[in-house]
Amino acid sequence: MQTVTRPRVLIAEDEAILRQELHTALQSLWPELDVVATVDDGIRAAQAIADLQPDLAFLDVRMPGLNGIDVARLARHPCHIVFLTAHNDYAVDAFDQGAVDYLLKPLDIGRLALAVQRLKQRLSQQPADLSALHIKKTQDALRWIQASVGNQIRFINVSDVLCFRADAKYTKVITTKLEAHIRTTIKDLAAQLDADKFWQISRSNIVNVAAIDAVQRSDGGLALRLQASDEWLAVSQAYQSQFRQM
């Protein structure tokens, strides 16, 4: 493989501030680098890799649509990968299987500079084949939640939760018997819950799959209704792929 004189890079990160911070830092650390696209979900990342064929990609392990691991595994164009994550165990596992590097959040410029050096060294080599990439689950899924209901602290079994919903600075926990609040964000919850039992359907909602009563399509969109509820919840396009298995 020939040395790339002006390498092309894709940045896929769903947090806008971090996405811009990474973009700016890369331009400073590697002026010759051409940032061909910045995207905020996995589906757009996979499409950008296929269409733009970058030499490098920075992929968030946890993002809407497809996670970074699946984007790397399913990529139709080989490129050198650096993962972005808040979960050290996931990234180390991916690194061991062929990723060039991983960066823990929040972004550390010194650590990014080291990743840049590793990428420069790899550019003359063929990208690793990540088609068999997988992440071993190292932590049990969340089973209990401690939540506030008025002046009380309640312990809620996760299996009893119908829906988690972003609510200002908090996340609302909705069961058939009560509504409570926790400080954990929707994104952090998605990383802790069993992905086979809880599906994120938008940036604001995670639903218990077993609690889904009905799903309907209209004008290319998708919405669902939970048991014991008359409300229809819109499913964002980036999250609709998981409903193909229903």
Side-chain angles (χ1 to χ4, degrees):
M1 188 173 181
Q2 295 181 344
T3 301
V4 179
T5 56
R6 186 168 177 79
R8 296 153 50 82
V9 65
L10 163 74
I11 298 173
E13 164 59 54
D14 69 336
E15 297 179 30
I17 294 177
L18 180 56
R19 189 168 63 248
Q20 182 57 53
E21 183 182 2
L22 179 58
H23 188 173
T24 301
L26 283 173
Q27 289 181 319
S28 174
L29 292 169
W30 199 349
E32 299 82 13
L33 196 63
D34 182 9
V35 180
V36 294
T38 61
V39 298
D40 61 0
D41 70 63
I43 293 175
R44 291 188 178 92
Q47 192 62 55
I49 289 176
D51 294 344
L52 302 175
Q53 300 189 352
D55 304 293
L56 323 165
F58 285 80
L59 303 177
D60 185 8
V61 169
R62 290 280 184 178
M63 55 184 167
L66 292 171
N67 62 50
I69 301 299
D70 285 339
V71 172
R73 183 171 56 83
L74 300 172
R76 287 179 283 172
H77 169 74
C79 58
H80 296 289
I81 303 293
V82 173
F83 286 109
L84 307 167
T85 181
H87 302 277
N88 187 68
D89 291 339
Y90 295 157
V92 169
D93 200 8
F95 177 65
D96 289 342
Q97 295 178 62
V100 175
D101 208 346
Y102 64 91
L103 299 173
L104 294 177
K105 303 176 184 181
L107 187 64
D108 179 272
I109 300 302
R111 185 65 183 79
L112 175 60
L114 178 59
V116 165
Q117 291 304 313
R118 288 177 173 168
L119 284 167
K120 289 180 177 180
Q121 293 169 6
R122 288 283 193 93
L123 274 178
S124 60
Q125 304 173 25
Q126 185 71 20
D129 179 4
L130 299 178
S131 59
L133 181 63
H134 67 280
I135 297 299
K136 297 188 289 290
K137 194 173 182 65
T138 58
Q139 294 182 332
D140 292 334
L142 188 65
R143 295 178 58 193
W144 290 89
I145 291 174
Q146 182 175 304
S148 299
V149 181
N151 294 325
Q152 295 183 338
I153 300 297
R154 301 290 292 271
F155 290 88
I156 302 171
N157 191 316
V158 167
S159 62
D160 293 332
V161 177
L162 303 176
C163 177
F164 295 96
R165 179 173 300 171
D167 186 16
K169 297 180 180 180
Y170 301 90
T171 294
K172 184 181 293 185
V173 181
I174 302 172
T175 75
T176 56
K177 297 180 179 179
L178 58 82
E179 293 187 0
H181 288 86
I182 57 177
R183 293 184 179 274
T184 309
T185 66
I186 288 291
K187 183 172 184 178
D188 287 342
L189 271 174
Q192 299 175 48
L193 293 166
D194 186 333
D196 292 328
K197 297 179 179 179
F198 286 87
W199 290 352
Q200 185 168 359
I201 63 169
S202 67
R203 292 185 184 276
S204 300
N205 289 289
I206 297 174
V207 300
N208 187 333
V209 179
I212 297 175
D213 180 56
V215 177
Q216 69 177 11
R217 298 180 185 274
S218 60
D219 300 325
L222 190 65
L224 63 82
R225 186 183 64 206
L226 297 174
Q227 297 168 5
S229 174
D230 295 325
E231 181 183 7
W232 287 91
L233 303 176
V235 180
S236 300
Q237 185 175 4
Y239 298 92
Q240 291 182 13
S241 60
Q242 58 199 339
F243 285 85
R244 294 172 186 165
Q245 59 188 283
M246 295 190 72

